[in-house]
Amino acid sequence: MVCGTSSGAKTPIDIYDFIGHEGARLVSYLSYAHPQPPGPDLGILVDLVATDRLHPTLGLAADWSQLDDVLAALQQRRLSGKAVLTIG
């Protein structure tokens, strides 16, 4: 589970959400407040996706040349999920 706070609303987490996942743990990742380079943490995220243990919600894939439109869509909350920009 990934919990974000872009809306400003608190994310409710209930202890019962963990039933059946007894080895689960909560790990924070704050990209803007991290004192070390993000490379190692991003590598962990890539590995989780590659091994099918993390399933990010993709709201939009677009070419890098559409950056302004994608940023506007994110700011106006027209996307549900992550935006991915491709190069080339």
Side-chain angles (χ1 to χ4, degrees):
M1 171 173 52
V2 176
C3 298
T5 60
S6 63
S7 70
K10 291 188 176 189
T11 302
I13 298 176
D14 192 299
I15 192 68
Y16 292 107
D17 294 336
F18 293 89
I19 292 177
H21 305 280
E22 283 71 19
R25 59 191 174 109
L26 297 175
V27 179
S28 66
Y29 174 76
L30 302 172
S31 59
Y32 59 87
H34 214 283
Q36 287 84 26
D41 286 339
L42 292 176
I44 291 169
L45 291 174
V46 168
D47 182 63
L48 289 170
V49 172
T51 57
D52 204 32
R53 294 181 290 161
L54 178 65
H55 305 98
T57 302
L58 182 59
L60 173 73
D63 186 80
W64 180 258
S65 63
Q66 296 177 295
L67 175 63
D68 290 340
D69 294 334
V70 172
L71 289 176
L74 287 168
Q75 289 173 334
Q76 296 166 9
R77 301 191 185 282
R78 290 186 279 132
L79 296 180
S80 177
K82 307 297 181 193
V84 174
L85 297 173
T86 58
I87 299 174

